Amino acid sequence: MNVPTIRYPAPPAQVAVYVEIMGPKMAMEFLLAFGGAPLEHHERTTARSRIAAIVGPEHARALAQENHRLQPRVPLATRWLAACLKAEGQSVHDIARKLRCSDVTVRKYLRAQEAAEARRRP
C-alpha cells in the first residue's frame, strides 16, 4: 500500500533551522508546543525534559547543539503552520482551532500562500 507523500511548503527563514534539524512534521509539533515562548536549550538535555517529551531526546540534543542558530524566542510561524496543516489535508476549521485563530484568518493565510507559490512558478 503506497502512502502519499506530503509536499510541505518551504519554511520561512526563521523556521528553516528547525525543519533542517527535525524535519517538517516534527518541527510543526515543536512550533505548536513552544512557539512564541523563550526557550533555553541545554547540551545535556534529559529524556524527561519538556522538549524531549515532544520531539525526542535526539532532536532535543540536536537543537541544543545548534542553539547559536536559533532565535531566543521560538517563532510562531502561524502562516507556515497553516499551509503545512492544509498540505496534510486538514480542514480550515481544524487548522483554526489548532492555531487558535479564526477561520477567516486561516483562509487569508492560505490565499496568500497560494499566491506566493503561483508567483514562484514559471
Side-chain angles (χ1 to χ4, degrees), residues 1-6:
M1 181 165 91
N2 290 338
V3 178
T5 304
I6 298 172

Side-chain angles (χ1 to χ4, degrees), residues 26-93:
M26 191 67 66
M28 290 169 54
E29 295 297 323
F30 179 82
L31 294 172
L32 287 169
F34 296 104
L39 194 61
E40 292 183 21
H41 304 281
H42 300 287
E43 286 290 332
R44 290 186 277 166
T45 302
T46 66
R48 296 183 342 207
S49 75
R50 269 193 86 203
I51 297 173
I54 302 282
V55 300
E58 303 84 24
H59 288 128
R61 280 190 290 278
L63 282 171
Q65 290 171 349
E66 296 297 325
N67 191 32
H68 63 282
R69 295 175 56 200
L70 304 177
Q71 299 172 352
R73 188 174 309 277
V74 178
L76 290 171
T78 311
R79 294 171 190 263
W80 181 74
L81 286 170
C84 288
L85 293 168
K86 187 64 178 173
E88 289 181 349
Q90 296 193 32
S91 72
V92 169
H93 292 117

